[in-house]
Amino acid sequence: RLLFMASGNYMFVIVGEDDTPIYEVEFLNTQRREDTSHLNQFIIHAALDMVDELVWGTHSMYLKCVDKFNDFNISAFVTAGHIKLMLLHDVRNDDGIRNFFNDVYELFVRVLMNPFYRPNAPITSTFDAACEAPGKKVLLVSYANKLVYQELFAACSM
């Protein structure tokens, strides 16, 4: 599923306990080449080992930036059940990404509470529309606000 946004490119994946993808969505600001989606999947999959190492060294669910590949950063959020929420992004937006993970985690818990959902099964319900709202609100708006604050700070410091 593809969603177009005004700033930054993001790919969000939920990975199950046995490292199988449960859900995947891309938030894009430009048209992409056909092979980009597969490359993004590969980058996220390669970062799974880093997440597995870092999760045992912290009590926080949000692991911030766990890996980098060229211009891309991979941020992760690991649930108590070792489900990994991973975001591949090309802009730094730590507060927005943290808020996005918290919002999506709340949505994911709602999916888990559904008696008809089998754990680690692909999510195919209305989760797309539910993920679109925090993606637009948190990733797009907080990054735009960050740019405005940087411009204001630069203007004030002159």
Side-chain angles (χ1 to χ4, degrees):
R1 175 140 163 98
L2 298 174
L3 303 171
F4 290 94
M5 301 178 72
S7 64
N9 292 309
Y10 301 89
M11 181 174 188
F12 173 67
V13 177
I14 299 176
V15 181
E17 291 177 26
D18 52 352
D19 292 344
T20 58
I22 295 176
Y23 177 76
E24 175 183 313
V25 65
E26 289 182 280
F27 302 101
L28 301 173
N29 69 344
T30 57
Q31 294 291 336
R32 63 173 172 84
R33 298 186 349 223
E34 282 186 35
D35 62 342
T36 306
S37 181
H38 296 296
L39 176 63
N40 292 346
Q41 290 172 351
F42 178 74
I43 294 168
I44 290 175
H45 186 76
L48 284 172
D49 292 334
M50 296 298 294
V51 172
D52 288 337
E53 285 179 24
L54 292 172
V55 75
W56 298 109
T58 183
H59 295 289
S60 177
M61 296 172 83
Y62 177 54
L63 302 178
K64 295 187 180 179
C65 183
V66 295
D67 200 6
K68 293 182 180 183
F69 179 81
N70 291 342
D71 295 334
F72 293 105
N73 297 312
I74 299 98
S75 297
F77 183 98
V78 181
T79 69
H82 294 286
I83 303 295
K84 299 162 194 82
L85 285 65
M86 301 180 71
L87 185 70
L88 177 72
H89 50 97
D90 59 357
V91 292
R92 292 293 294 207
N93 182 8
D94 291 335
D95 293 333
I97 291 170
R98 176 191 301 266
N99 292 335
F100 172 75
F101 278 137
N102 287 329
D103 291 348
V104 173
Y105 177 59
E106 183 179 323
L107 295 170
F108 182 66
V109 168
R110 290 181 187 173
V111 169
L112 289 176
M113 292 186 333
N114 182 346
F116 299 109
Y117 177 73
R118 288 186 342 249
N120 290 320
I123 299 173
T124 57
S125 64
T126 59
F127 199 72
D128 279 335
C131 266
E132 183 177 351
K136 284 183 177 178
K137 177 185 83 171
V138 176
L139 299 176
L140 174 63
V141 172
S142 61
Y143 181 70
N145 288 342
K146 181 179 178 182
L147 291 178
V148 169
Y149 291 137
Q150 287 175 349
E151 288 177 9
L152 286 173
F153 181 73
C156 291
S157 63
M158 289 183 165

